[in-house]
Amino acid sequence: VRCCRVTVFRGTKSLAEVIALRGKAVLALSGGRSPVAFLQALSAESLDWSRVTVTLVDERLVPPNHADSNAALLRDNLLQGAAAAATLQPLLDDATDLDAALAQACRHWHTPDVVVLGMGEDGHIASLFPGAANLAQGLAPDNPAPLLALCPPAAAHARISMTLAELLRSGVLYLAIAGEDKRRVLEYAARTRSDHGFWRPVRFQAETGW
């Protein structure tokens, strides 16, 4: 609960600052099972949502109304009430061709001003899963591509994900996690910096619930 409140407050403040400076803001959010309470709380925040474009940190190669669609998660839990005035920029419209979906997503992509990341219990952020065949490309800090197509071996669907380099090019990053297991993973990664190479350059503010 604390994690949700703090991240909502700081994320909203960051968006408001960008809007005051530039007149608009781009917000990138993670999907999955964990962020429902965060999304619902964020949707209730007082913000000029008409000036916000909402996109995704990553997406599964599934139809837009599929139960595993991150875009559907945002529509159902964030884009409600006043927040419905925000513009949703999904990462894909066509779930039949991964390469075509990636090309289309890159054409419409804008580097986010604010990013809220989650983290899996294996330590992955976005869809940069350990064991993915092209993980090194996704983690390369000098990769000019904003997005990457991946087929994680332990995941049910192919994915489109922000690259680490694009995360680093973004304005403000927040890492929102909760639970003892994820706390231990985060502490291990910060302490050892061994097989969790993506933690070394990421600028994040960890909002945790412990």
Side-chain angles (χ1 to χ4, degrees), residues 47-84:
L47 187 69
D48 189 349
W49 286 103
S50 66
R51 297 179 180 272
V52 178
T53 296
V54 181
T55 190
L56 288 155
V57 170
D58 59 338
E59 180 60 286
R60 301 171 175 92
L61 190 69
V62 295
N65 294 319
H66 192 281
D68 291 336
S69 167
N70 287 339
L73 181 80
L74 296 189
R75 286 195 299 269
D76 293 345
N77 295 282
L78 174 64
L79 301 180
Q80 304 292 324

mmCIF file of all heavy atoms in Angstrom, residues 47-84:
data_model
loop_
_atom_site.group_PDB
_atom_site.id
_atom_site.type_symbol
_atom_site.label_atom_id
_atom_site.label_comp_id
_atom_site.label_asym_id
_atom_site.label_seq_id
_atom_site.Cartn_x
_atom_site.Cartn_y
_atom_site.Cartn_z
ATOM 1 N N LEU A 47 -4.914 15.737 -12.369
ATOM 2 C CA LEU A 47 -3.876 16.009 -13.345
ATOM 3 C C LEU A 47 -4.572 16.368 -14.652
ATOM 4 O O LEU A 47 -5.686 15.908 -14.915
ATOM 5 C CB LEU A 47 -3.010 14.756 -13.539
ATOM 6 C CG LEU A 47 -1.765 14.853 -14.399
ATOM 7 C CD1 LEU A 47 -0.692 15.708 -13.713
ATOM 8 C CD2 LEU A 47 -1.183 13.466 -14.672
ATOM 9 N N ASP A 48 -3.945 17.209 -15.463
ATOM 10 C CA ASP A 48 -4.516 17.516 -16.770
ATOM 11 C C ASP A 48 -4.236 16.344 -17.696
ATOM 12 O O ASP A 48 -3.298 16.349 -18.496
ATOM 13 C CB ASP A 48 -3.916 18.812 -17.327
ATOM 14 C CG ASP A 48 -4.643 19.277 -18.584
ATOM 15 O OD1 ASP A 48 -5.458 18.507 -19.127
ATOM 16 O OD2 ASP A 48 -4.396 20.418 -19.024
ATOM 17 N N TRP A 49 -5.072 15.320 -17.581
ATOM 18 C CA TRP A 49 -4.846 14.077 -18.304
ATOM 19 C C TRP A 49 -4.926 14.272 -19.811
ATOM 20 O O TRP A 49 -4.353 13.468 -20.563
ATOM 21 C CB TRP A 49 -5.853 13.024 -17.849
ATOM 22 C CG TRP A 49 -5.552 12.471 -16.502
ATOM 23 C CD1 TRP A 49 -6.156 12.773 -15.321
ATOM 24 C CD2 TRP A 49 -4.538 11.501 -16.179
ATOM 25 N NE1 TRP A 49 -5.597 12.066 -14.286
ATOM 26 C CE2 TRP A 49 -4.607 11.276 -14.783
ATOM 27 C CE3 TRP A 49 -3.592 10.810 -16.933
ATOM 28 C CZ2 TRP A 49 -3.756 10.390 -14.130
ATOM 29 C CZ3 TRP A 49 -2.740 9.923 -16.301
ATOM 30 C CH2 TRP A 49 -2.827 9.717 -14.901
ATOM 31 N N SER A 50 -5.609 15.301 -20.271
ATOM 32 C CA SER A 50 -5.704 15.523 -21.711
ATOM 33 C C SER A 50 -4.348 15.841 -22.329
ATOM 34 O O SER A 50 -4.183 15.761 -23.550
ATOM 35 C CB SER A 50 -6.686 16.661 -22.004
ATOM 36 O OG SER A 50 -6.188 17.903 -21.515
ATOM 37 N N ARG A 51 -3.383 16.164 -21.500
ATOM 38 C CA ARG A 51 -2.038 16.486 -21.985
ATOM 39 C C ARG A 51 -1.055 15.313 -21.804
ATOM 40 O O ARG A 51 0.144 15.482 -22.001
ATOM 41 C CB ARG A 51 -1.506 17.726 -21.265
ATOM 42 C CG ARG A 51 -2.327 18.983 -21.543
ATOM 43 C CD ARG A 51 -1.777 20.186 -20.800
ATOM 44 N NE ARG A 51 -2.551 21.374 -21.056
ATOM 45 C CZ ARG A 51 -2.332 22.220 -22.071
ATOM 46 N NH1 ARG A 51 -1.345 21.976 -22.915
ATOM 47 N NH2 ARG A 51 -3.073 23.287 -22.232
ATOM 48 N N VAL A 52 -1.583 14.166 -21.426
ATOM 49 C CA VAL A 52 -0.736 13.002 -21.153
ATOM 50 C C VAL A 52 -0.969 11.919 -22.212
ATOM 51 O O VAL A 52 -2.118 11.555 -22.494
ATOM 52 C CB VAL A 52 -1.016 12.418 -19.753
ATOM 53 C CG1 VAL A 52 -0.158 11.179 -19.507
ATOM 54 C CG2 VAL A 52 -0.768 13.475 -18.672
ATOM 55 N N THR A 53 0.110 11.434 -22.791
ATOM 56 C CA THR A 53 0.062 10.235 -23.622
ATOM 57 C C THR A 53 0.598 9.070 -22.798
ATOM 58 O O THR A 53 1.690 9.153 -22.236
ATOM 59 C CB THR A 53 0.915 10.392 -24.895
ATOM 60 O OG1 THR A 53 0.348 11.439 -25.703
ATOM 61 C CG2 THR A 53 0.939 9.095 -25.702
ATOM 62 N N VAL A 54 -0.193 8.013 -22.720
ATOM 63 C CA VAL A 54 0.182 6.836 -21.941
ATOM 64 C C VAL A 54 0.575 5.720 -22.893
ATOM 65 O O VAL A 54 -0.165 5.394 -23.831
ATOM 66 C CB VAL A 54 -0.986 6.367 -21.045
ATOM 67 C CG1 VAL A 54 -0.565 5.154 -20.223
ATOM 68 C CG2 VAL A 54 -1.454 7.502 -20.132
ATOM 69 N N THR A 55 1.743 5.145 -22.652
ATOM 70 C CA THR A 55 2.184 4.005 -23.435
ATOM 71 C C THR A 55 2.699 2.922 -22.496
ATOM 72 O O THR A 55 2.535 3.034 -21.274
ATOM 73 C CB THR A 55 3.252 4.418 -24.471
ATOM 74 O OG1 THR A 55 3.475 3.321 -25.379
ATOM 75 C CG2 THR A 55 4.559 4.807 -23.807
ATOM 76 N N LEU A 56 3.303 1.908 -23.057
ATOM 77 C CA LEU A 56 3.701 0.743 -22.276
ATOM 78 C C LEU A 56 5.200 0.519 -22.320
ATOM 79 O O LEU A 56 5.855 0.777 -23.335
ATOM 80 C CB LEU A 56 2.993 -0.505 -22.807
ATOM 81 C CG LEU A 56 1.498 -0.561 -22.479
ATOM 82 C CD1 LEU A 56 0.764 -1.417 -23.485
ATOM 83 C CD2 LEU A 56 1.285 -1.080 -21.067
ATOM 84 N N VAL A 57 5.734 0.038 -21.214
ATOM 85 C CA VAL A 57 7.130 -0.386 -21.149
ATOM 86 C C VAL A 57 7.332 -1.646 -21.971
ATOM 87 O O VAL A 57 8.368 -1.820 -22.627
ATOM 88 C CB VAL A 57 7.537 -0.619 -19.679
ATOM 89 C CG1 VAL A 57 8.896 -1.289 -19.577
ATOM 90 C CG2 VAL A 57 7.531 0.699 -18.903
ATOM 91 N N ASP A 58 6.331 -2.509 -21.989
ATOM 92 C CA ASP A 58 6.404 -3.742 -22.765
ATOM 93 C C ASP A 58 4.996 -4.247 -23.034
ATOM 94 O O ASP A 58 4.035 -3.828 -22.384
ATOM 95 C CB ASP A 58 7.237 -4.809 -22.050
ATOM 96 C CG ASP A 58 6.686 -5.175 -20.677
ATOM 97 O OD1 ASP A 58 5.941 -4.362 -20.089
ATOM 98 O OD2 ASP A 58 6.998 -6.274 -20.182
ATOM 99 N N GLU A 59 4.894 -5.109 -24.010
ATOM 100 C CA GLU A 59 3.598 -5.680 -24.375
ATOM 101 C C GLU A 59 3.780 -7.092 -24.889
ATOM 102 O O GLU A 59 4.801 -7.439 -25.498
ATOM 103 C CB GLU A 59 2.927 -4.808 -25.435
ATOM 104 C CG GLU A 59 1.569 -5.289 -25.907
ATOM 105 C CD GLU A 59 0.520 -5.378 -24.801
ATOM 106 O OE1 GLU A 59 0.612 -6.320 -23.978
ATOM 107 O OE2 GLU A 59 -0.387 -4.518 -24.767
ATOM 108 N N ARG A 60 2.773 -7.901 -24.651
ATOM 109 C CA ARG A 60 2.744 -9.266 -25.172
ATOM 110 C C ARG A 60 2.127 -9.271 -26.568
ATOM 111 O O ARG A 60 1.280 -8.437 -26.876
ATOM 112 C CB ARG A 60 1.928 -10.153 -24.235
ATOM 113 C CG ARG A 60 2.468 -10.216 -22.815
ATOM 114 C CD ARG A 60 1.469 -10.942 -21.912
ATOM 115 N NE ARG A 60 1.973 -11.131 -20.564
ATOM 116 C CZ ARG A 60 1.758 -10.269 -19.562
ATOM 117 N NH1 ARG A 60 1.046 -9.158 -19.780
ATOM 118 N NH2 ARG A 60 2.233 -10.523 -18.360
ATOM 119 N N LEU A 61 2.548 -10.208 -27.382
ATOM 120 C CA LEU A 61 2.000 -10.331 -28.728
ATOM 121 C C LEU A 61 0.667 -11.073 -28.642
ATOM 122 O O LEU A 61 0.562 -12.266 -28.942
ATOM 123 C CB LEU A 61 2.981 -11.070 -29.643
ATOM 124 C CG LEU A 61 2.628 -11.047 -31.132
ATOM 125 C CD1 LEU A 61 2.796 -9.653 -31.706
ATOM 126 C CD2 LEU A 61 3.482 -12.052 -31.907
ATOM 127 N N VAL A 62 -0.355 -10.343 -28.225
ATOM 128 C CA VAL A 62 -1.711 -10.879 -28.087
ATOM 129 C C VAL A 62 -2.685 -9.835 -28.627
ATOM 130 O O VAL A 62 -2.353 -8.644 -28.694
ATOM 131 C CB VAL A 62 -2.048 -11.214 -26.616
ATOM 132 C CG1 VAL A 62 -1.158 -12.333 -26.092
ATOM 133 C CG2 VAL A 62 -1.938 -9.973 -25.725
ATOM 134 N N PRO A 63 -3.899 -10.217 -28.993
ATOM 135 C CA PRO A 63 -4.891 -9.241 -29.454
ATOM 136 C C PRO A 63 -5.189 -8.200 -28.378
ATOM 137 O O PRO A 63 -5.023 -8.454 -27.180
ATOM 138 C CB PRO A 63 -6.118 -10.112 -29.745
ATOM 139 C CG PRO A 63 -5.568 -11.472 -30.016
ATOM 140 C CD PRO A 63 -4.372 -11.611 -29.111
ATOM 141 N N PRO A 64 -5.643 -7.004 -28.787
ATOM 142 C CA PRO A 64 -5.838 -5.903 -27.840
ATOM 143 C C PRO A 64 -6.782 -6.199 -26.683
ATOM 144 O O PRO A 64 -6.636 -5.607 -25.611
ATOM 145 C CB PRO A 64 -6.395 -4.782 -28.726
ATOM 146 C CG PRO A 64 -5.922 -5.112 -30.103
ATOM 147 C CD PRO A 64 -5.881 -6.598 -30.177
ATOM 148 N N ASN A 65 -7.737 -7.090 -26.881
ATOM 149 C CA ASN A 65 -8.703 -7.396 -25.820
ATOM 150 C C ASN A 65 -8.405 -8.708 -25.105
ATOM 151 O O ASN A 65 -9.213 -9.179 -24.306
ATOM 152 C CB ASN A 65 -10.123 -7.426 -26.396
ATOM 153 C CG ASN A 65 -10.566 -6.061 -26.886
ATOM 154 O OD1 ASN A 65 -10.305 -5.044 -26.231
ATOM 155 N ND2 ASN A 65 -11.217 -6.020 -28.032
ATOM 156 N N HIS A 66 -7.240 -9.273 -25.364
ATOM 157 C CA HIS A 66 -6.841 -10.523 -24.715
ATOM 158 C C HIS A 66 -6.624 -10.286 -23.226
ATOM 159 O O HIS A 66 -6.233 -9.197 -22.790
ATOM 160 C CB HIS A 66 -5.544 -11.014 -25.363
ATOM 161 C CG HIS A 66 -5.175 -12.412 -25.010
ATOM 162 N ND1 HIS A 66 -4.568 -12.753 -23.808
ATOM 163 C CD2 HIS A 66 -5.299 -13.578 -25.709
ATOM 164 C CE1 HIS A 66 -4.346 -14.050 -23.790
ATOM 165 N NE2 HIS A 66 -4.773 -14.576 -24.912
ATOM 166 N N ALA A 67 -6.870 -11.304 -22.428
ATOM 167 C CA ALA A 67 -6.706 -11.181 -20.974
ATOM 168 C C ALA A 67 -5.273 -10.850 -20.578
ATOM 169 O O ALA A 67 -5.042 -10.260 -19.512
ATOM 170 C CB ALA A 67 -7.147 -12.479 -20.293
ATOM 171 N N ASP A 68 -4.301 -11.202 -21.424
ATOM 172 C CA ASP A 68 -2.898 -10.940 -21.111
ATOM 173 C C ASP A 68 -2.380 -9.640 -21.726
ATOM 174 O O ASP A 68 -1.190 -9.347 -21.629
ATOM 175 C CB ASP A 68 -2.024 -12.101 -21.594
ATOM 176 C CG ASP A 68 -2.244 -13.364 -20.785
ATOM 177 O OD1 ASP A 68 -2.683 -13.252 -19.622
ATOM 178 O OD2 ASP A 68 -1.990 -14.462 -21.317
ATOM 179 N N SER A 69 -3.252 -8.869 -22.355
ATOM 180 C CA SER A 69 -2.837 -7.618 -22.988
ATOM 181 C C SER A 69 -2.574 -6.537 -21.943
ATOM 182 O O SER A 69 -3.442 -6.235 -21.114
ATOM 183 C CB SER A 69 -3.914 -7.130 -23.961
ATOM 184 O OG SER A 69 -3.680 -5.790 -24.346
ATOM 185 N N ASN A 70 -1.396 -5.939 -21.990
ATOM 186 C CA ASN A 70 -1.099 -4.835 -21.078
ATOM 187 C C ASN A 70 -1.892 -3.583 -21.444
ATOM 188 O O ASN A 70 -2.247 -2.787 -20.563
ATOM 189 C CB ASN A 70 0.399 -4.532 -21.086
ATOM 190 C CG ASN A 70 1.210 -5.585 -20.363
ATOM 191 O OD1 ASN A 70 0.686 -6.329 -19.535
ATOM 192 N ND2 ASN A 70 2.488 -5.675 -20.683
ATOM 193 N N ALA A 71 -2.161 -3.387 -22.727
ATOM 194 C CA ALA A 71 -2.990 -2.251 -23.128
ATOM 195 C C ALA A 71 -4.389 -2.377 -22.541
ATOM 196 O O ALA A 71 -4.975 -1.383 -22.071
ATOM 197 C CB ALA A 71 -3.058 -2.162 -24.651
ATOM 198 N N ALA A 72 -4.944 -3.588 -22.546
ATOM 199 C CA ALA A 72 -6.262 -3.801 -21.935
ATOM 200 C C ALA A 72 -6.220 -3.515 -20.443
ATOM 201 O O ALA A 72 -7.165 -2.951 -19.870
ATOM 202 C CB ALA A 72 -6.734 -5.227 -22.196
ATOM 203 N N LEU A 73 -5.114 -3.876 -19.807
ATOM 204 C CA LEU A 73 -4.944 -3.585 -18.380
ATOM 205 C C LEU A 73 -5.021 -2.084 -18.128
ATOM 206 O O LEU A 73 -5.677 -1.632 -17.175
ATOM 207 C CB LEU A 73 -3.602 -4.135 -17.903
ATOM 208 C CG LEU A 73 -3.267 -3.934 -16.427
ATOM 209 C CD1 LEU A 73 -3.984 -4.971 -15.579
ATOM 210 C CD2 LEU A 73 -1.763 -4.022 -16.200
ATOM 211 N N LEU A 74 -4.386 -1.287 -18.974
ATOM 212 C CA LEU A 74 -4.431 0.167 -18.812
ATOM 213 C C LEU A 74 -5.829 0.709 -19.072
ATOM 214 O O LEU A 74 -6.315 1.576 -18.335
ATOM 215 C CB LEU A 74 -3.433 0.842 -19.754
ATOM 216 C CG LEU A 74 -1.954 0.558 -19.543
ATOM 217 C CD1 LEU A 74 -1.116 1.487 -20.413
ATOM 218 C CD2 LEU A 74 -1.550 0.710 -18.085
ATOM 219 N N ARG A 75 -6.479 0.221 -20.117
ATOM 220 C CA ARG A 75 -7.831 0.705 -20.416
ATOM 221 C C ARG A 75 -8.788 0.420 -19.270
ATOM 222 O O ARG A 75 -9.623 1.258 -18.913
ATOM 223 C CB ARG A 75 -8.344 0.053 -21.703
ATOM 224 C CG ARG A 75 -7.714 0.594 -22.973
ATOM 225 C CD ARG A 75 -8.511 0.171 -24.197
ATOM 226 N NE ARG A 75 -8.549 -1.282 -24.318
ATOM 227 C CZ ARG A 75 -7.673 -1.999 -25.005
ATOM 228 N NH1 ARG A 75 -6.677 -1.392 -25.641
ATOM 229 N NH2 ARG A 75 -7.777 -3.313 -25.082
ATOM 230 N N ASP A 76 -8.655 -0.748 -18.664
ATOM 231 C CA ASP A 76 -9.602 -1.160 -17.636
ATOM 232 C C ASP A 76 -9.325 -0.532 -16.271
ATOM 233 O O ASP A 76 -10.256 -0.371 -15.470
ATOM 234 C CB ASP A 76 -9.584 -2.686 -17.485
ATOM 235 C CG ASP A 76 -10.130 -3.401 -18.714
ATOM 236 O OD1 ASP A 76 -10.782 -2.737 -19.545
ATOM 237 O OD2 ASP A 76 -9.883 -4.614 -18.844
ATOM 238 N N ASN A 77 -8.074 -0.192 -15.998
ATOM 239 C CA ASN A 77 -7.717 0.221 -14.640
ATOM 240 C C ASN A 77 -7.155 1.630 -14.519
ATOM 241 O O ASN A 77 -7.179 2.202 -13.430
ATOM 242 C CB ASN A 77 -6.692 -0.761 -14.063
ATOM 243 C CG ASN A 77 -7.269 -2.138 -13.883
ATOM 244 O OD1 ASN A 77 -8.005 -2.391 -12.940
ATOM 245 N ND2 ASN A 77 -6.944 -3.040 -14.805
ATOM 246 N N LEU A 78 -6.655 2.202 -15.597
ATOM 247 C CA LEU A 78 -6.130 3.567 -15.546
ATOM 248 C C LEU A 78 -7.017 4.561 -16.275
ATOM 249 O O LEU A 78 -7.357 5.616 -15.726
ATOM 250 C CB LEU A 78 -4.721 3.623 -16.146
ATOM 251 C CG LEU A 78 -4.116 5.028 -16.281
ATOM 252 C CD1 LEU A 78 -3.913 5.665 -14.905
ATOM 253 C CD2 LEU A 78 -2.823 5.007 -17.063
ATOM 254 N N LEU A 79 -7.417 4.233 -17.481
ATOM 255 C CA LEU A 79 -8.130 5.203 -18.319
ATOM 256 C C LEU A 79 -9.619 5.217 -17.977
ATOM 257 O O LEU A 79 -10.492 4.902 -18.799
ATOM 258 C CB LEU A 79 -7.902 4.877 -19.789
ATOM 259 C CG LEU A 79 -6.428 4.879 -20.214
ATOM 260 C CD1 LEU A 79 -6.300 4.555 -21.686
ATOM 261 C CD2 LEU A 79 -5.755 6.195 -19.883
ATOM 262 N N GLN A 80 -9.875 5.582 -16.735
ATOM 263 C CA GLN A 80 -11.227 5.682 -16.198
ATOM 264 C C GLN A 80 -11.406 7.058 -15.571
ATOM 265 O O GLN A 80 -10.435 7.685 -15.137
ATOM 266 C CB GLN A 80 -11.472 4.589 -15.151
ATOM 267 C CG GLN A 80 -11.230 3.170 -15.647
ATOM 268 C CD GLN A 80 -12.237 2.735 -16.692
ATOM 269 O OE1 GLN A 80 -13.416 3.094 -16.618
ATOM 270 N NE2 GLN A 80 -11.792 1.964 -17.674
ATOM 271 N N GLY A 81 -12.660 7.532 -15.510
ATOM 272 C CA GLY A 81 -12.906 8.839 -14.898
ATOM 273 C C GLY A 81 -12.157 9.937 -15.639
ATOM 274 O O GLY A 81 -12.082 9.942 -16.874
ATOM 275 N N ALA A 82 -11.565 10.860 -14.882
ATOM 276 C CA ALA A 82 -10.840 11.976 -15.495
ATOM 277 C C ALA A 82 -9.667 11.495 -16.335
ATOM 278 O O ALA A 82 -9.310 12.105 -17.355
ATOM 279 C CB ALA A 82 -10.357 12.930 -14.406
ATOM 280 N N ALA A 83 -9.050 10.379 -15.927
ATOM 281 C CA ALA A 83 -7.887 9.867 -16.650
ATOM 282 C C ALA A 83 -8.245 9.330 -18.031
ATOM 283 O O ALA A 83 -7.353 9.098 -18.852
ATOM 284 C CB ALA A 83 -7.197 8.780 -15.830
ATOM 285 N N ALA A 84 -9.525 9.165 -18.327
ATOM 286 C CA ALA A 84 -9.937 8.717 -19.658
ATOM 287 C C ALA A 84 -9.603 9.755 -20.716
ATOM 288 O O ALA A 84 -9.589 9.450 -21.917
ATOM 289 C CB ALA A 84 -11.432 8.410 -19.671
#
